[in-house]
Amino acid sequence: MTEAGNDLVAVPERVRTGSPNPITSLDAWREAWIAAKDDPDAFWLREAKARLHWRREPSEGLRGGFHEIADGPIAFFADGELNVSESCLDQHLAPRGDKVAILWEADEPGEGRSLTYRALHQEVCRAAGALRSLGVQKGERVIIYMGMVPEAAIAMLACARLGAVHSVVFGGFSAEALRDRVRDCGAEVVITQDEGLRGGRTIPLKATCDEALLGEQGVRHVLCFQRTGAHVGWTAGRDVWWHEAMSEATPVEDAVVCAAEDPLFILYTSGSTGRPKGLCHTQAGYLTWTSWTHQTVFDLREDDVYACVADVGWITGHSYIVYGPLCNGATTLMFESTPSYPDAGRYWELCARHGVTIFYTAPTAIRALAAQGDAFVQAHDRSRLRVLGTVGEPINPEAWQWYFDVVGEGRCTIVDTWWQTETGGICITPIAPATPTRPGWATLPNPGIVPALMDEHGRPIVGPGEGRLCLSQPWPGMARTVWGDHERYVATYFATFPGYYFTGDGCRRDGAGYHLVTGRVDDVLNVAGHRIGTAEFEAVIVTVEAIAEAGVVGFPHPVKGQGVYAYVVLQPGAEPGPDLQALVNNVCRAQIGAHAKVDLLQIVPGLPKTRSGKVMRRILRKVAEGQPEALGDVSTLADPSVVEAIVAGAKSL
Ligand code: WT7
């Protein structure tokens, strides 16, 4: 029983019956969890050997730990050798070569194509050949800046086949953001497409790429996939068409052998300070973790049609569209469009047409669709759905219930999966056939995950309580370092609570050991599942000429989860003009990307600062949350009158 006593939701009958899952009961979960905690070496070595195709089997499990993390990254299966693309492709050719690997649903309903494991293998080998002919070698970095086309996954796997390190940059990022990432990882090749297509609109990916690369000497080649056929700018000698390179390529049948801890990819994400950091994931541990979690949490069965509607530009797309599902030999859907194109029934229409059995999306989409009414859902056959997943931010119980009742008609179980770019894969979650669910709660830690909640003195809370969420033991899927800056990795994640990985989230635990992740406790915003640091916003906003200072915080937003509230101080004598917010948003779009938008902007005479000059963000947050009565102690402020002006001029949606 949980603390509320009566809000547990039993696993529906059809989710429990016929499951091939090793974990179909709470007892089995507990047994596995304890085994992985007490002897992670044995537990993960067994899984790694069973799931991955090895060139040289590993003999050791975990090397290193959190107390020695400053000396160097931890390692899993360090003496093993493999190529990740062989685990995702070659190992399936004999048992399921004709099974659909990637089911591509293009922007227009019903358009798209499917690739069998055999076809995907051929395309990846060719693409690897094309990259090799452009000079890409093991260990070199390749940026992938594309939309949701199968070629994005093919490009990732082609890099993996060569042992090259890919870094996918979400197609919504601006030229500035793309340039930063190209520079930070030292990419020599960029793969893009002429245009992206989303909701009937085109996205000028090649043009943005050209802008980003203006004057960048380091990039030798741009490989451009043709999606729409639009006319694009062309730099002779540098730019190469994907289809031409593919037709001339010599397929790389013989994959490049990598060490288990060689880097597989870099993915940039926002933190509370400074520029985005490139989290570095490695080969075998990452693949073992994504394969194990994908199969177990979603209760994957051989005939499942699995659809994760995230973007490959985020970690969800890496782990649960590409690597986990393909390692498991699943049929994985790639979706190019939006939940509302041509109408709010698109998800359910595609579920009906493809016979989707497992569906994975984000709370922000669920809330947006729930607001459109049930008819859009009911118009389509959802009888094949069995497991419904959610990820990216806390899900409010109302949205959870709508997903359960209306989308799933009470026949499907909901897996609310908590994890992060840094964790590589799902950490706290129900296991579909085993775990009774609870609206709003991510429930139990996966085997390998040992959560600790820290109190305000930095001590672990025993039993029920609320605190900062840490993880106490290394697990195979964790990011090993920040690209080129191990010190920053250590300072960001291991300095706050020595000996623990600090997630940046707050978390509540009940008497049954169920977890509810309440959201970030650091200065990171989660806007519609997109992670952006307040410091990133502030740095960009002050580049607007009229603005001297900016303080950015989040506030509860009915659809996006968090909205962005900017307090700005004008330059002396500056005339803001009527459209300062539009101006600010143009700059945010240009410097960060289309997903970075200020929802509320307030001009203030000053930011609330302590006498030592530190901005008291707590005050900004409380006002943005509409709770000016709960400001608490403001006696340490240098100028308390600022607060009155802030409260008097507060904005709301
Ligand atoms: C942050 C990580 C994991 C892939 C997508 C986001 C929040 C994520 C949940 C959940 C409550 C969640 C956390 C986390 N978050 N899933 N089920 N319940 N919060 O990856 O961009 O690295 O963001 O998203 O705050 O720290 P990300």
Side-chain angles (χ1 to χ4, degrees):
M1 272 290 138
T2 59
E3 65 195 3
N6 56 4
D7 58 354
L8 280 189
V9 179
V11 176
E13 184 60 32
R14 67 194 297 259
V15 182
R16 262 183 299 131
T17 47
S19 169
N21 208 312
I23 301 179
T24 49
S25 67
L26 281 184
D27 284 342
W29 163 79
R30 195 168 298 108
E31 201 177 304
W33 188 79
I34 289 169
K37 177 171 181 281
D38 292 348
D39 192 356
D41 283 2
F43 191 94
W44 294 116
L45 258 181
R46 191 183 59 235
E47 293 296 336
K49 286 182 188 171
R51 291 170 185 281
L52 274 45
H53 177 86
W54 293 91
R55 291 290 190 98
R56 181 175 160 206
E57 279 214 341
S59 68
E60 57 175 309
L62 170 65
R63 196 190 284 177
F66 290 167
H67 284 288
E68 308 90 63
I69 200 90
D71 304 334
I74 62 127
F76 269 94
F77 323 122
D79 62 345
E81 290 176 351
L82 77 169
N83 182 285
V84 160
S85 80
E86 291 187 337
S87 292
C88 293
L89 302 168
D90 304 57
Q91 76 166 341
H92 302 309
L93 292 180
R96 48 177 84 83
D98 295 321
K99 178 176 176 175
V100 173
I102 293 182
L103 191 54
W104 181 50
E105 169 85 5
D107 195 41
E108 291 303 322
E111 285 184 14
R113 67 185 169 118
S114 58
L115 288 104
T116 62
Y117 272 93
R118 199 177 320 286
L120 183 62
H121 175 261
Q122 279 168 6
E123 298 255 323
V124 169
C125 291
R126 274 203 170 276
L131 288 175
R132 183 173 271 171
S133 71
L134 298 181
V136 174
Q137 306 213 359
K138 183 177 179 179
E140 286 186 357
R141 275 79 60 211
V142 174
I143 291 262
I144 299 174
Y145 184 64
M146 301 178 82
M148 286 298 289
V149 290
E151 284 68 19
I154 292 167
M156 293 162 76
L157 291 162
C159 288
R161 200 157 186 92
L162 295 177
V165 183
H166 63 70
S167 184
V168 184
V169 176
F170 172 57
F173 273 116
S174 67
E176 292 279 336
L178 178 57
R179 181 187 304 132
D180 285 347
R181 287 154 176 76
V182 167
R183 280 188 190 164
D184 186 86
C185 74
E188 295 180 31
V189 169
V190 177
I191 308 177
T192 188
Q193 62 190 66
D194 52 0
E195 292 178 317
L197 210 48
R198 232 180 144 249
R201 291 211 290 255
T202 55
I203 301 149
L205 292 169
K206 175 66 163 66
T208 306
C209 186
D210 287 342
E211 193 188 331
L213 298 183
L214 213 66
E216 291 301 302
Q217 299 302 323
V219 175
R220 294 190 314 256
H221 287 294
V222 173
L223 189 56
C224 184
F225 171 68
Q226 200 167 39
R227 170 69 181 98
T228 65
H231 176 77
V232 291
W234 207 251
T235 302
R238 185 195 71 177
D239 297 353
V240 179
W241 283 112
W242 172 277
H243 55 271
E244 288 177 6
M246 287 289 272
S247 72
E248 289 157 17
T250 310
V252 178
E253 303 284 352
D254 191 18
V256 173
V257 178
C258 298
E261 285 295 341
D262 283 344
L264 175 64
F265 67 85
I266 301 166
L267 188 60
Y268 287 85
T269 192
S270 297
S272 50
T273 55
R275 306 161 80 76
K277 42 189 181 291
L279 271 314
C280 185
H281 285 281
T282 58
Q283 316 260 331
Y286 171 79
L287 199 61
T288 303
W289 184 245
T290 50
S291 162
W292 189 89
T293 51
H294 177 255
Q295 189 199 335
T296 311
V297 170
F298 296 106
D299 193 39
L300 185 71
R301 307 177 188 195
E302 187 67 53
D303 58 355
D304 269 323
V305 177
Y306 164 85
C308 166
V309 289
D311 193 287
V312 285
W314 310 113
I315 191 70
T316 309
H318 285 62
S319 302
Y320 297 113
I321 295 176
V322 180
Y323 287 111
L326 293 179
C327 186
N328 290 339
T331 295
T332 177
L333 186 136
M334 279 184 86
F335 181 49
E336 188 178 32
S337 195
T338 78
S340 54
Y341 182 76
D343 65 38
R346 181 66 185 274
Y347 278 166
W348 325 120
E349 191 262 336
L350 85 83
C351 282
R353 191 152 30 76
H354 294 294
V356 170
T357 54
I358 305 173
F359 185 78
Y360 195 22
T361 188
T364 185
I366 297 168
R367 285 190 295 265
L369 294 177
Q372 300 297 311
D374 301 355
F376 283 111
V377 187
Q378 282 150 357
H380 306 285
D381 176 18
R382 282 129 29 249
S383 60
R384 292 210 58 199
L385 286 174
R386 191 179 78 249
V387 179
L388 300 172
T390 147
V391 61
E393 47 175 320
I395 182 164
N396 47 313
E398 300 73 31
W400 192 104
Q401 204 65 51
W402 183 82
Y403 203 25
F404 184 81
D405 291 337
V406 179
V407 176
E409 296 175 299
R411 288 176 293 103
C412 306
T413 202
I414 302 221
V415 290
D416 173 0
T417 64
W418 174 87
W419 57 293
Q420 310 177 294
T421 303
E422 292 86 344
T423 70
I426 298 168
C427 293
I428 302 180
T429 179
I431 289 176
T435 317
T437 53
R438 185 176 177 195
W441 291 65
T443 73
L444 296 169
N446 268 331
I449 297 301
V450 185
L453 303 189
M454 299 300 184
D455 66 16
E456 61 273 28
H457 309 294
R459 282 190 296 254
I461 297 167
V462 180
E466 182 162 351
R468 289 159 191 251
L469 177 62
C470 290
L471 304 178
S472 351
Q473 275 189 12
W475 64 99
M478 65 182 294
R480 301 296 195 256
T481 190
V482 168
W483 182 258
D485 197 349
H486 192 63
E487 264 175 45
R488 186 170 176 203
Y489 170 82
V490 175
T492 307
Y493 304 108
F494 297 93
T496 319
F497 303 103
Y500 293 86
Y501 165 78
F502 176 41
T503 65
D505 280 324
C507 183
R508 202 186 315 158
R509 183 171 56 210
D510 74 0
Y514 271 33
H515 294 74
L516 181 154
V517 179
T518 51
R520 308 287 308 195
V521 293
D522 54 6
D523 291 320
V524 171
L525 301 180
N526 191 332
V527 182
H530 299 323
R531 184 166 152 183
I532 312 173
T534 55
E536 268 176 87
F537 263 114
E538 290 161 5
V540 167
I541 292 173
V542 296
T543 65
V544 172
E545 217 182 297
I547 296 177
E549 268 186 289
V552 170
V553 294
F555 69 96
H557 187 285
V559 173
K560 297 198 276 187
Q562 264 191 317
V564 180
Y565 195 122
Y567 299 87
V568 301
V569 182
L570 298 180
Q571 295 281 9
E575 283 296 331
D579 48 6
L580 184 64
Q581 187 169 342
L583 204 65
V584 162
N585 276 330
N586 283 339
V587 176
C588 289
R589 192 179 315 116
Q591 303 274 329
I592 306 173
H595 57 295
K597 183 170 160 276
V598 170
D599 298 286
L600 295 171
L601 182 134
Q602 183 186 352
I603 298 171
V604 294
L607 295 175
K609 290 183 184 166
T610 61
R611 288 185 198 97
S612 57
K614 194 170 174 311
V615 175
M616 286 181 73
R617 312 186 63 85
R618 176 174 52 90
I619 292 176
L620 298 179
R621 244 179 256 129
K622 285 291 173 202
V623 174
E625 286 166 6
Q627 300 180 314
E629 70 287 349
L631 289 185
D633 181 18
V634 296
S635 62
T636 56
L637 282 179
D639 178 6
S641 75
V642 159
V643 176
E644 284 156 39
I646 288 176
V647 172
K651 307 271 177 183
S652 63
L653 282 182

